[in-house]
Amino acid sequence: MDWMNIARYFYLTDERLQQISRDFADDMERALQGKPGATVSALKSYVSLPGGEERGVYLALDFGGTNVRAARIRLLGRHCYLIEKKICQPLRMAGQYDYLSSSTTAGELFDFLARLVGQVAHGHQAYTLGHTFSFALERQDLRDGRLLSWSKEIAVPGVEGQFINKLLKQALVRQGLTNIEPAALVNDTTALLLSAVYTLERVRMGLVCGTGFNACYYEPAWDMIVNLEAGDYGGLIRNRWDKAVDARSAQPGWHRMEKMVSGAYVAEIFQQTLLSYFKTRQIPDFSTAAMNDIISCDNDKQCRLKMGQLWKRIVRPDEVHPVRNIGAAIFVRAAQLAGAVSCGILRHLYGDGTVPPQSVAVDGSLLEHVRGALFMMEDAMQACQNEGVSRDKQLYAAPVLIKDGPLVGAAVAAAMAVEKR
């Protein structure tokens, strides 16, 4: 199949992006009002926006996937902070331990987390801890939440249905860390927004596009951050390769948007398009990082060698550019959809009126490491603020990468929890 006949299925016109942003805003409205038909959620975080003057030393724990991070963070006020100590450790290390498997107990997993926290604590000082925990929760306040279900390869029994920070506190006590009090539980997108608002001016939404995809924003009517579970948005038109990836996934029909934009799936989409392009039945699996490495490689000879090694086939010189163009089209669509979602949130917040100048907090490997992704996201946002092909109306909102967002946001959440007492 000619590469252009594949890439065109990933091309989104300005008019299509505008329609997606309108539809996403409508979906948000249904979710907020509790009306049927919404594909996104409107989950309360029970935390508002920080003022930027929060101060003190807090511990932060970021448990969002297969790697866990812990830090001791000093909030200095005036939108400044200092990470005094930070560590990162995988939940699985071949030949040594595996805290992801069904053979691990809840106690063993949380003891592991407690030991990490202990490594960043200084002596026997008393600390308040903020916890970034990116799994489905049922909750009624900022302090804690009950795990509904695991995802991301984790199969540890005995945790689902339990209060997460309560389990963590029990583990801290078992480790002799009785002076550390878990006080806040937020997901990674909420933590990202808290961190951005603490350090920057005029930020009202956060968007994570890494292994998964999600967005949150500050809802004035509720005076709190709302988690949208944006990866569940179902109003997109899928092509044949999207459908093939969905059919092969663990949950066909679910998380439709996430399967079109996130790092966990874009390499699979690329793989499916290559089956069509090369007219073959098999292409070895490869990662999104490897996909990005191929597309961003400027040396055709090296790029061809990488393709051959990765896919165990001879790639002709005249196939290098077409293959890279297909992959680039998939990345561009992901960035464009992230921009359309951002403008859908802006549409909800400001209607058809003027959008005040502001930043959109972003995090995640796809937006951070894929060359040109932030530019394409911003370009899509500009398109969505106009009608048709016109670009006359300027949008003074731009995506900004936030470093250490989940950790700093967890510390900010802990500070805000203390203020509420």
Side-chain angles (χ1 to χ4, degrees):
M1 179 182 282
D2 182 80
W3 76 266
M4 288 185 290
N5 285 329
I6 298 174
R8 67 186 179 91
Y9 284 97
F10 296 92
Y11 174 68
L12 297 172
T13 64
D14 284 2
E15 292 92 335
R16 179 61 189 142
L17 290 170
Q18 292 155 10
Q19 185 62 52
I20 291 169
S21 75
R22 287 192 293 268
D23 289 347
F24 189 88
D26 290 342
D27 208 62
M28 281 181 63
E29 297 291 346
R30 288 191 292 272
L32 287 163
Q33 297 171 24
K35 293 182 177 179
T39 58
V40 300
S41 303
L43 305 178
K44 294 180 178 181
S45 67
Y46 297 95
V47 63
S48 186
L49 298 180
E53 292 300 323
E54 291 78 6
R55 299 172 186 268
V57 181
Y58 301 90
L59 300 185
L61 177 66
D62 177 22
F63 182 6
T66 54
N67 289 288
V68 179
R69 296 188 299 164
R72 185 176 73 244
I73 298 174
R74 185 178 296 272
L75 301 180
L76 302 169
R78 298 191 177 184
H79 306 282
C80 298
Y81 68 88
L82 176 67
I83 298 179
E84 295 185 339
K85 188 174 182 179
K86 179 173 68 173
I87 60 171
C88 178
Q89 196 162 335
L91 282 163
R92 175 191 292 148
M93 191 169 288
Q96 297 187 40
Y97 62 83
D98 183 355
Y99 292 110
L100 298 171
S101 73
S102 58
S103 61
T104 298
T105 67
E108 289 170 339
L109 171 61
F110 280 84
D111 282 347
F112 169 78
L113 300 177
R115 288 193 295 271
L116 287 184
V117 170
Q119 290 179 46
V120 296
H122 183 68
H124 296 286
Q125 294 182 24
Y127 292 100
T128 301
L129 179 142
H131 188 176
T132 300
F133 185 81
S134 301
F135 302 90
L137 291 171
E138 176 187 45
R139 60 190 309 160
Q140 283 79 42
D141 57 38
L142 174 62
R143 176 170 291 274
D144 209 346
R146 192 191 301 268
L147 177 64
L148 293 175
S149 61
W150 282 123
S151 60
K152 308 174 189 177
E153 302 181 54
I154 301 179
V156 179
V159 184
E160 293 178 351
Q162 301 298 311
F163 284 96
I164 296 304
N165 271 353
K166 182 179 179 181
L167 292 176
L168 179 60
K169 177 61 178 178
Q170 292 169 351
L172 289 167
V173 170
R174 287 195 297 270
Q175 297 299 316
L177 301 168
T178 56
N179 55 341
I180 298 175
E181 186 65 32
L185 190 70
V186 293
N187 77 352
D188 59 346
T189 321
T190 299
L192 169 68
L193 182 53
L194 288 172
S195 174
V197 173
Y198 186 78
T199 54
L200 301 174
E201 300 288 343
R202 296 175 298 192
V203 187
R204 290 296 178 268
M205 76 174 82
L207 188 144
V208 174
C209 190
T211 304
F213 179 80
N214 197 12
C216 71
Y217 76 104
Y218 172 71
E219 175 54 62
W222 295 359
D223 187 27
M224 74 170 62
I225 296 171
V226 173
N227 170 26
L228 294 172
E229 292 298 322
D232 293 337
Y233 176 59
L236 301 174
I237 298 173
R238 299 180 300 167
N239 59 44
R240 58 186 276 196
W241 302 286
D242 294 321
K243 292 176 181 177
V245 169
D246 179 46
R248 295 176 56 195
S249 70
Q251 295 178 303
W254 293 81
H255 317 302
R256 288 195 174 189
M257 182 159 195
E258 185 166 280
K259 289 172 183 172
M260 295 171 70
V261 302
S262 72
Y265 297 99
V266 290
E268 289 188 52
I269 297 172
F270 191 29
Q271 181 186 40
Q272 290 297 314
T273 63
L274 293 176
L275 296 177
S276 299
Y277 178 75
F278 289 122
K279 298 181 177 63
T280 184
R281 292 185 177 182
Q282 186 173 3
I283 292 285
D285 294 338
F286 54 94
S287 67
T288 299
M291 173 183 174
N292 184 38
D293 193 33
I294 286 172
I295 293 168
S296 59
C297 179
D298 293 321
N299 185 302
D300 286 358
K301 187 175 181 179
Q302 287 183 352
C303 187
R304 183 187 173 207
L305 180 63
K306 289 179 181 179
M307 290 178 180
Q309 292 172 337
L310 196 62
W311 300 326
K312 306 293 190 292
R313 63 179 295 119
I314 296 173
V315 178
R316 301 195 314 266
D318 64 338
E319 292 175 327
V320 172
H321 281 273
V323 167
R324 291 175 65 191
N325 289 339
I326 293 170
I330 296 169
F331 274 145
V332 167
R333 184 186 67 167
Q336 286 182 311
L337 289 174
V341 164
S342 299
C343 274
I345 297 172
L346 292 176
R347 191 179 294 272
H348 162 73
L349 289 172
Y350 305 106
D352 294 324
T354 301
V355 176
Q358 60 190 278
S359 299
V360 177
V362 298
D363 187 25
S365 56
L366 196 137
L367 292 175
E368 182 178 357
H369 299 304
V370 173
R371 187 167 62 182
L374 280 184
F375 171 79
M376 293 309 304
M377 177 182 170
E378 185 173 358
D379 184 74
M381 291 173 65
Q382 293 291 341
C384 289
Q385 285 303 112
N386 289 273
E387 294 295 331
V389 297
S390 169
R391 292 289 187 101
D392 295 334
K393 186 178 179 182
Q394 285 294 303
L395 174 67
Y396 298 100
V400 176
L401 283 168
I402 304 298
K403 185 174 177 59
D404 292 312
L407 282 172
V408 176
V412 172
M416 296 176 72
V418 170
E419 289 177 356
K420 278 187 173 183
R421 291 174 182 170

